[in-house]
Amino acid sequence: MKSIASAPGKIILFGEHFVVHGTKAILAAIDKRVTVTSSFTNNKTIKVNSQLGSIEVPISSSHEEVEHRLLYNHKTEFRPFVYLANKIINSEQNASGLEITIDSDIPIGVGLGSSSACCVAAAGSIFGLFKELSSEEILNLSIEAEKTIFPDTSGADCTVCTYGGMIEYPSIEKIDNPFDFALLIANSMIPHSTKRSVEKVNKFKENNEERFSQLCDLETKLIDEVIADMKNNNPNTVRLAMSLNQEYLEEIQVSNEKLREMMRSLQEDPLCLHPKITGAGDGGCVIALVAGESINSCLETVRKKFTASVWNQDKECFSAKIDTKGVVWSTIEE
Ligand code: MEV
């Protein structure tokens, strides 16, 4: 039997970093997916195959041994898979070994939710070999798994990868795509570590407690206004709010000169105004909301600009639509 699950990547429109400290956020799932396929083996091992390489590790019966292995032995990216596989194998009598294969079209380590989508798809696929799970159970397992690489996660990324669509977090209320926009995503190709960026923001908070608390209040107010603007079909005010959110992100120091240069060069195009960082920052991607009918010409201009400028030459730019399905899973009898 094979158990297959796939989950979408994500962008954060508003509230990254502040959401770790209790504010709201607005996120959307995007039409790029990771697919995880799991099957039984007789090897008493957990084998994981991915674009990043393969590992095969013995099944551990003790929780301490799993923790020790996760901390010291596995490449970070493989930890959620080993964690989930061990968890289910240890609770099921008849399981001997598992082989898990990951296929992804989400760029890795650039803020588009590749690791959260992996955790969600892995939870659905690995546990799907043994039982039927609800989306909520998949979400809870995926957050546990994500904590093996990033203990401070807000849970927002796994949530949108599970449910799909555009959502307000933490309420998980769906927000209808109110106006016809497409997402333009420009990848700086600078990989980042979400864990490190979040630690950096924690330091900023420690040193600037009062200002950080004001910024959290400003972010909450901004998001409430944006939700009203979306309902009232005001795309221009939503875009302006993205610039304001970017100012807050600049202030907590998760931007850098390369990202600012990219945003300046996007902003020169009248079709592509008010870009902002999406996700942890310090590298990764910037996004802009572009009117649906303008996205192709906008992409063409930005790509030409990236090719012409020495600074932006190795960057990539693509468009994405909002995914509405979230995690999907099925089993195949062989
Ligand atoms: C990362 O995509 C988003 C952060 O807000 C971290 C989190 O919410 O867990 C930086």
Side-chain angles (χ1 to χ4, degrees):
M1 182 165 96
K2 274 193 172 136
S3 169
I4 304 168
S6 85
K10 67 91 191 59
I11 49 114
I12 301 186
L13 281 158
F14 294 93
E16 52 274 269
H17 283 293
F18 299 103
V19 68
V20 176
H21 302 271
T23 73
K24 293 180 183 176
I26 299 179
L27 303 94
I30 56 171
D31 57 351
K32 292 197 173 291
R33 292 197 151 246
V34 58
T35 302
V36 175
T37 306
S38 306
S39 54
F40 293 114
T41 66
N42 294 320
N43 298 345
K44 299 209 178 307
T45 60
I46 298 160
K47 186 167 187 215
V48 186
N49 312 307
S50 83
Q51 285 137 299
L52 298 172
S54 294
I55 55 159
E56 187 161 9
V57 293
I59 291 163
S60 309
S61 53
S62 96
H63 181 67
E64 288 70 31
E65 200 181 328
V66 176
E67 294 281 301
H68 180 82
R69 287 231 177 97
L70 289 176
L71 267 179
Y72 300 108
N73 294 352
H74 300 310
K75 273 179 95 175
T76 329
E77 298 79 4
F78 292 114
R79 284 188 197 158
F81 301 95
V82 176
Y83 171 83
L84 289 168
N86 257 308
K87 181 170 172 124
I88 186 73
I89 286 173
N90 283 322
S91 67
E92 296 289 324
Q93 309 277 305
N94 56 355
S96 52
L98 289 184
E99 180 160 6
I100 301 158
T101 300
I102 307 146
D103 289 301
S104 178
D105 58 9
I106 308 172
I108 296 168
V110 288
L112 298 179
S114 99
S115 104
S116 308
C118 273
C119 291
V120 172
S125 165
I126 296 169
F127 277 66
L129 278 173
F130 299 87
K131 48 176 105 166
E132 269 194 36
L133 294 185
S134 64
S135 299
E136 196 186 343
E137 285 168 316
I138 291 179
L139 172 60
N140 291 337
L141 285 165
S142 68
I143 293 175
E144 264 180 50
E146 191 177 43
K147 285 185 174 168
T148 65
I149 38 178
F150 170 34
D152 290 338
T153 176
S154 67
D157 291 7
C158 284
T159 304
V160 76
C161 297
T162 301
Y163 293 109
M166 186 175 359
I167 62 161
E168 186 185 325
Y169 186 83
S171 68
I172 323 188
E173 265 172 51
K174 290 247 170 175
I175 302 171
D176 288 331
N177 183 356
F179 26 86
D180 172 32
F181 70 75
L183 291 161
L184 182 132
I185 302 178
N187 183 354
S188 70
M189 313 291 260
I190 307 169
H192 63 189
S193 151
T194 302
K195 186 167 174 271
R196 267 202 298 278
S197 300
V198 167
E199 282 164 2
K200 203 165 101 177
V201 174
N202 286 341
K203 275 260 149 357
F204 177 90
K205 182 183 173 183
E206 263 169 51
N207 296 332
N208 306 274
E209 247 178 70
E210 203 181 323
R211 181 59 186 155
F212 191 79
S213 155
Q214 281 168 353
L215 286 169
C216 286
D217 293 345
L218 288 168
E219 184 71 47
T220 302
K221 185 166 167 278
L222 185 71
I223 290 175
D224 287 339
E225 284 165 6
V226 162
I227 289 168
D229 287 333
M230 283 181 167
K231 285 190 186 136
N232 296 330
N233 203 358
N234 282 336
N236 291 335
T237 26
V238 173
R239 285 198 192 99
L240 281 170
M242 285 174 70
S243 283
L244 202 48
N245 196 153
Q246 180 58 30
E247 283 176 26
Y248 304 156
L249 293 170
E250 294 285 345
E251 198 171 336
I252 60 171
Q253 296 163 15
V254 294
S255 186
N256 61 37
E257 196 38 43
K258 287 190 182 164
L259 295 172
R260 281 191 286 275
E261 168 65 26
M262 273 175 82
M263 286 185 273
R264 276 196 292 273
S265 104
L266 293 178
Q267 176 80 13
E268 282 164 14
D269 186 334
L271 301 173
C272 183
L273 298 172
H274 307 295
K276 75 173 265 294
I277 287 171
T278 187
D282 282 329
C285 292
V286 302
I287 53 166
L289 296 187
V290 177
E293 78 271 7
S294 311
I295 187 72
N296 288 336
S297 59
C298 191
L299 269 177
E300 206 178 314
T301 324
V302 174
R303 281 180 182 145
K304 272 193 198 139
K305 208 181 277 183
F306 281 7
T307 320
S309 131
V310 177
W311 185 264
N312 281 324
Q313 240 163 24
D314 54 349
K315 313 290 175 277
E316 66 173 10
C317 188
F318 51 92
S319 67
K321 292 202 182 80
I322 294 183
D323 163 281
T324 50
K325 292 198 295 270
V327 62
V328 289
W329 63 102
S330 61
T331 51
I332 303 173
E333 294 295 339
E334 288 180 309

